[in-house]
Amino acid sequence: MLRFSVLAVCSLILALTSLSSASAENWPRFRGNNGQGISQETGFPVTWTENDYAWVIDLPGLSHSSPVVWEDSLYVTTGVNDGSVRRLLCLDAVTGKEKWQQDLTLNDVHLHNKNSFASGSPATNGSHVVAAFADEGQFIIACWTKDGQELWRNDLGEFISEHGPSCSPIIHKNLVIVPKDMKGPSSVTAYDLTTGKQVWQAEREFNRTSYATPFVRTRKDGVEEVICVSGMMGISAMNVNTGELLWRTERFPERTVGSPFLTDNLVISVSGGGGKGKNLYAVELDQTGQVTPKFTLTRTIPYVPTPVYKDGLIYMILDVGVASCLDATTGEEIWTERIGGNFSGSPIWLENKLYVIDEAGTVVVLAAGREFQELGRVPLNDLSYATPVVANGRMYLKTATKLYCLPKK
C-alpha cells in the first residue's frame, strides 16, 4: 500500500510538472511568437514592489532593444563605448548571470533621439541566435550557436537613414530573414541559418527607412509568405522560400516604424510621422497582385508602438499616451481613454490584460476587453523604449540600462 502511494504521488508530481512545462513558452523574437505580442502564460500580478523581483541587473552601455528568451537563455543587444562596440549578451534567464558576450566593432552614426546603437532585437530558435547591427557603411547580420560560437557573418552594405539603424531579423525554419528598407537601394534577404549562404534576395522600391519587423504565415493554398512593411511597398507578402512577390498594397504616405500584425482574417500595419500615427491599412488575407485595403483609418492610431490583437479586438497604445480598443472586423472604435505619458514600446496581451512600458519607465497594466479599466502602474525609474517579454514563468522588463525579472505568483 505504501509503495502504491509513493508511486501515485510521483505520478502526480510528474503530471503536474508536464502540465507546467506545457504551459510555459519561449519568446524567440521581437514581440514573441510570430511577432504577435501574445502570451498564453498565467499568474502574473498587476502591481508589485521591488521585493517581488527575482533579480535586477545593470546592463552595460545603452540600448532600446527588447530581449528574446529560449528556455534558460536570454539574449539582448546593447551598444557600448559610445556605439563603437555593438554587443550581444547571453544571460541566464533564471538567475540573470552572464553566460557569454560577443562584440562587433562598428562606426558611430547619427541617431534620432529615440534611437540607440542597439534598438533591434535578436532572434533565436534555441540552437542558434542572430542579430543585426549597422552604421552608414555596413549592415552586419551575424549568427552564433547558443554557446556563443560565431558561425557566420555577412555584410549587406551601407545603411542610409537620417534616424539611424534599428533592425530585428527573424528566424523561420532554416532561414534567417533580414529586412533592409532604407533611404537608398533596399532589399529583403534570406540566408541559410547554418551556413550564412544567401538563399534569395528581393529588391525593394525605396524612399524612407522602415523599422518594421516581418512575420511569416501559411496561406490557405499552403504557400508560406513573409509579410513585410515599408513606406514605398506598403504591406507586401513574398514567398518565404523564393522571395517572389505575391501581393502588395499601395504605398504608405509616411514612414513605417510599427510592425505588421494579424487578426483572424486581416493583416494590419500603420505609418506616421512627427510622433503620431497617420494611416492604418487593414488587408484581407490570401490575396494576390495589387491589393486594396478592406478598411483604412487616419485618426487615433499609433506610430511607433505595434498594436496587439486578441479575441476579435485590436488594442492600441498611441505614442502620446492614449489607449484605444477597436472592433477587428470593421475598425469601429469601442473605447478610447487617455492614460498619460509617452510610449515607444509595444503592448503585449497576457491573461486578459495588457502590459506596456512608457518612455519614463512606468509599467502600465490595463484590462483587455470591451470596458476600459486601468489595473496598475509600477515605476522602473529609467528611460525605456522596450516591449515586455514573457517566457517560462517569468516576465522581463527592460529599460535603457537595466533588466528586471518578475516571476509569476
Side-chain angles (χ1 to χ4, degrees), residues 86 106-109 133-139 157-160 165:
R86 318 291 170 87
L106 282 88
N107 297 314
D108 191 6
V109 63
F133 302 96
D135 56 32
E136 291 183 353
Q138 55 189 333
F139 186 117
E158 64 183 356
F159 187 83
I160 306 169

Side-chain angles (χ1 to χ4, degrees), residues 300-317:
T300 319
I301 53 178
Y303 171 34
V304 175
T306 300
V308 64
Y309 165 80
K310 192 71 168 66
D311 299 331
L313 301 177
I314 298 169
Y315 302 98
M316 303 192 295
I317 305 295

Side-chain angles (χ1 to χ4, degrees), residues 67 85 89 139 156 160 194 210 213-214 236 238 249 319 328 343 358 393:
V85 172
L89 281 169
F139 186 117
L156 283 76
I160 306 169
T194 56
S210 173
T213 304
S236 62
M238 291 170 286
T249 67
D319 310 54
F343 292 81
D358 72 11

Side-chain angles (χ1 to χ4, degrees), residues 34 215-220 223-225 227 262 285-286:
N34 211 24
F215 68 85
V216 177
R217 65 173 295 269
T218 303
R219 297 164 55 91
K220 64 182 180 182
V223 174
E224 291 182 310
E225 61 183 4
I227 308 292
L262 274 173
L285 302 178
D286 304 314

Side-chain angles (χ1 to χ4, degrees), residues 60-269:
L62 177 75
S63 81
H64 294 166
S65 64
S66 302
V68 300
V69 180
W70 194 281
E71 295 178 349
D72 63 351
S73 292
L74 180 148
Y75 305 96
V76 65
T77 59
T78 189
V80 298
N81 296 347
D82 295 325
S84 63
V85 172
R86 318 291 170 87
R87 179 171 295 169
L88 175 66
L89 281 169
C90 178
L91 307 177
D92 187 298
V94 180
T95 66
K97 301 292 185 181
E98 182 179 313
K99 291 185 173 183
W100 53 263
Q101 65 180 50
Q102 291 289 349
D103 290 349
L104 290 79
T105 301
L106 282 88
N107 297 314
D108 191 6
V109 63
H110 174 74
L111 298 174
H112 189 276
N113 61 7
K114 292 189 178 184
N115 200 355
S116 73
F117 292 109
S119 293
S121 294
T124 184
N125 67 348
S127 59
H128 298 73
V129 56
V130 296
F133 302 96
D135 56 32
E136 291 183 353
Q138 55 189 333
F139 186 117
I140 304 297
I141 175 74
C143 178
W144 297 265
T145 68
K146 65 178 183 179
D147 299 318
Q149 177 187 355
E150 184 173 318
L151 296 177
W152 53 266
R153 183 184 302 195
N154 291 327
D155 186 353
L156 283 76
E158 64 183 356
F159 187 83
I160 306 169
S161 171
E162 65 270 36
H163 294 326
S166 176
C167 173
S168 299
I170 64 171
I171 296 174
H172 177 68
K173 295 181 179 178
N174 67 322
L175 296 176
V176 177
I177 300 172
V178 188
K180 184 190 175 187
D181 285 301
M182 63 174 189
K183 197 174 181 180
S186 299
S187 63
V188 176
T189 308
Y191 295 101
D192 183 277
L193 176 63
T194 56
T195 67
K197 181 180 179 181
Q198 181 179 305
V199 178
W200 55 260
Q201 186 171 75
E203 303 301 321
R204 308 266 285 174
E205 297 175 26
F206 59 89
N207 185 2
R208 302 177 181 91
T209 305
S210 173
Y211 297 103
T213 304
F215 68 85
V216 177
R217 65 173 295 269
T218 303
R219 297 164 55 91
K220 64 182 180 182
D221 59 10
V223 174
E224 291 182 310
E225 61 183 4
V226 54
I227 308 292
C228 299
V229 170
S230 74
M232 286 298 287
M233 297 293 293
I235 307 174
S236 62
M238 291 170 286
N239 185 311
V240 78
N241 294 314
T242 67
E244 173 195 4
L245 183 65
L246 300 176
W247 59 264
R248 60 166 293 183
T249 67
E250 63 181 327
R251 65 186 61 176
F252 279 109
E254 304 88 17
R255 186 186 312 280
T256 53
V257 179
S259 298
F261 67 99
L262 274 173
T263 72
D264 290 340
N265 53 16
L266 298 169
V267 56
I268 299 177
S269 198

